[in-house]
Amino acid sequence: MLALTGGLLASPAWALLPIQHWTQPSGAKVWLVDSPGIPMVDVQVAFDAGSRRDPAEQAGLASAVALMASKGVSASGNAPAQDENALGEAWADLGASFGAGADDDGFSYSLRSLTDPALLTRAAQLAARQIAEPSWQEDIWLRERARWSAAIKESDTQPGTVAAKAFSAAVYGGHPYGQQSSAATLERIDVSAMQSFHRRLINACSARVSIVGALDREQADQLVQQLLAPLQARDAASRPAGSACPQQPALPEVPALAEARNLDIPFASAQAHVLIGQPGITRRNPDFLAVMVGNHILGGGGFTSRLMEQVREKRGLSYSVSSSFAPGLHAGAFVIGLQTRSDQAPEAIKVSQQVLADFVARGPTEAELREAKDNLIGGFALRIDSNRKLLANVANIAWNDLPLDYLEHWTKRVEALTADEVRAAMARMLQPERMVTLSVGARKP
């Protein structure tokens, strides 16, 4: 057997290190891959606190909370307060890294450290303070908000940004996935709003912790306790003893489009930016793998895809064209994207729509399916060839409640798909007659 980076072992079935899973007394759930090849550990601590939880009038709130995680920590016990410069120096001294981020669905903290006990203990203590005890300095937030607002205003002068925002609004309507941060929404975010968001949504009992590295179960459990101890103490002080873990309210699903929409936004740009799409599927949808394979054939497979062949190779209408889908806890968007000369935009749109309609109606050929399977299965090792990549896959399993052996059976499940199954899955997801077709820059304002 051949060794892969990060302590993974390869066999014809891509045998993987097993994923261990347990729940701590606090309620925090832990997923662990003990990968002993390198004396390092990668950790992700995730919460149901993504931008879908932002109030519409404060779009950007989750990202603001993530931003402030690195800007300082409050004094705690014998530990003094530290500003952003002191935190940066502390992490450099440890040879470790820590960060926070928010996407549509979730909010997460990430830690990478050597597993030397002395170093890891110090890294966990510092990370725990940044998770539970941000300093929330108003002057720092005002500085960062001004920078962020300026960046948004600059980005809004670009046709690609204009297209992406208009497309998102058209596809998602009033669903939180379609909310966009702006200078106006950021202006409504203050320190008290961030503190409230943090108290309500970042709770130790609701944490989902994914770990990949040279730690056994006992060591990993101890690490999670260290990371969440200050947060758990804060939660215990603010809630009655024995109270249940706060449950976030369910959010509505993304509504299906009732009819086709054609949007032509004037913009003085050299090329037209074209987006065609609709709400797609959730990540937990049983059709996920079939749709992944179908999209690879349609437009996700680079130069081998149908869209590239028909739009670029045969007609020269665009240098690049692709399709993608972004499944999340709700139905993320399916989108075909391309850029072309303004005078060619109508033809490029027509050809792309025809390729899509044909694929949904007839599905892939056996040759296309074989090539897609070979490409995806052949590239599987590259999806898990480091601890950091493996962590992303473990976190995906944790976040979406997938089976612990999901990765072990991934290649077999892809190989078993038939052309009819791919066609049926794509047909269930896509309605070519009810899509948003958006062009920005097709004519000057």
Side-chain angles (χ1 to χ4, degrees), residues 135-146:
S135 56
W136 308 115
Q137 297 178 68
E138 184 176 9
D139 59 334
I140 299 296
W141 166 238
L142 294 178
R143 181 196 71 193
E144 295 301 319
R145 185 170 69 182

Side-chain angles (χ1 to χ4, degrees), residues 122-396:
R122 290 167 58 199
Q125 290 172 343
L126 185 56
R129 293 184 66 194
Q130 288 188 238
I131 292 172
E133 301 160 356
S135 56
W136 308 115
Q137 297 178 68
E138 184 176 9
D139 59 334
I140 299 296
W141 166 238
L142 294 178
R143 181 196 71 193
E144 295 301 319
R145 185 170 69 182
R147 289 178 177 175
W148 190 354
S149 296
I152 289 174
K153 290 177 181 177
E154 169 61 26
S155 180
D156 285 343
T157 66
Q158 304 301 315
T161 301
V162 173
K165 288 187 173 182
F167 180 80
S168 181
V171 168
Y172 294 123
H175 191 273
Y177 272 11
Q179 293 176 176
Q180 303 285 341
S181 57
S182 66
T185 66
L186 296 185
E187 193 68 28
R188 301 186 188 102
I189 297 172
D190 57 17
V191 165
S192 64
M194 290 186 284
Q195 291 173 318
S196 175
F197 182 98
H198 190 265
R199 284 193 302 269
R200 287 187 298 106
L201 301 176
I202 308 300
N203 296 284
C205 58
S206 61
R208 294 182 178 228
V209 187
S210 303
I211 304 174
V212 174
L215 298 178
D216 60 26
R217 176 166 174 159
E218 181 179 354
Q219 293 168 322
D221 194 64
Q222 182 180 8
L223 173 60
V224 176
Q225 290 180 40
Q226 291 175 320
L227 287 171
L228 297 179
L231 190 63
Q232 189 175 356
R234 184 210 68 179
D235 296 343
S238 62
R239 290 202 302 269
S243 60
C245 188
Q247 297 298 307
Q248 305 309 321
L251 294 173
E253 294 305 318
V254 178
L257 299 179
E259 59 185 6
R261 292 191 62 190
N262 296 298
L263 303 173
D264 184 5
I265 300 176
F267 200 97
S269 60
Q271 289 192 314
H273 292 246
V274 174
L275 297 174
I276 304 168
Q278 63 164 93
I281 62 171
T282 67
R283 179 57 185 82
R284 297 173 182 177
N285 191 304
D287 283 339
F288 174 81
L289 283 181
V291 168
M292 180 195 70
V293 172
N295 182 70
H296 185 89
I297 298 166
L298 173 63
F303 285 100
T304 64
S305 73
R306 277 202 194 181
L307 282 168
M308 188 71 84
E309 178 187 9
Q310 295 297 325
V311 177
R312 172 186 159 140
E313 299 300 328
K314 287 192 174 181
R315 295 172 176 84
L317 294 172
S318 178
Y319 178 77
S320 178
V321 57
S322 63
S323 65
S324 62
F325 66 112
L329 294 180
H330 305 281
F334 165 82
V335 58
I336 294 172
L338 63 92
Q339 296 178 39
T340 187
R341 287 199 333 248
S342 296
D343 62 304
Q344 293 182 327
E347 184 180 2
I349 290 171
K350 181 179 179 181
V351 173
S352 298
Q353 290 173 330
Q354 188 60 57
V355 170
L356 173 64
D358 288 346
F359 189 75
V360 171
R362 298 178 178 83
T365 66
E366 291 296 336
E368 287 175 325
L369 182 61
R370 181 71 268 156
E371 184 175 14
K373 287 181 179 180
D374 289 346
N375 186 282
L376 291 167
I377 293 172
F380 179 70
L382 298 178
R383 296 170 179 254
I384 53 171
D385 65 355
S386 70
N387 282 1
R388 184 166 282 174
K389 289 182 183 178
L390 184 54
L391 177 70
N393 281 281
V394 174
N396 173 53

